[in-house]
């Protein structure tokens, strides 16, 4: 049985997420998001969509990127 690495829950329906060559185990998407999702550089929310990346900074949307002074961005679809 796998243990969620975010909350430690021992759950028979835990799943694995492979990211950057490492395998992570979670019992729920909420825990996976909590642990894996990057945070928006502007509003601080968890980025669970495509997000926007510019010069190493992550943003949840183009609007946040713009608010932070990034100008040449488009939503990646
Ligand atoms: Zn968990
Ligand atoms: Zn944001």
């Amino acid at each position: 049985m796998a243990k969620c690495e975010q909350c430690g829950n021992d759950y028979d329906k835990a799943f694995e997420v492979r990211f950057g060559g490492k395998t992570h185990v979670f019992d729920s998407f909420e825990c996976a998001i909590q642990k894996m999702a990057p945070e928006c550089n502007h509003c601080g929310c968890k980025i669970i969509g495509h997000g926007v990346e510019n010069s190493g900074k992550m943003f949840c949307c183009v609007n946040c990127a713009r608010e932070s002074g990034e100008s040449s961005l488009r939503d990646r679809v």
Side-chain angles (χ1 to χ4, degrees):
M1 221 55 65
K3 247 188 189 175
C4 173
E5 62 182 66
Q6 173 67 15
C7 70
N9 187 22
D10 207 334
Y11 186 46
D12 63 350
K13 288 181 185 63
F15 58 93
E16 294 180 346
V17 177
R18 211 170 295 169
F19 184 76
K22 282 185 184 170
T23 305
H24 300 268
V25 181
F26 301 105
D27 65 334
S28 67
F29 283 108
E30 192 180 348
C31 286
I33 288 164
Q34 205 49 243
K35 180 103 180 179
M36 314 278 300
E39 279 174 14
C40 174
N41 248 278
H42 182 69
C43 70
C45 73
K46 293 284 183 187
I47 301 167
I48 54 175
H50 290 284
V52 181
E53 195 178 349
N54 198 40
S55 21
K57 288 185 194 163
M58 294 291 294
F59 300 97
C60 66
C61 61
V62 168
N63 191 48
C64 277
R66 277 205 205 103
E67 299 269 311
S68 283
E70 313 287 347
S71 52
S72 58
L73 283 169
R74 282 182 170 196
D75 261 317
R76 217 194 292 166
V77 186

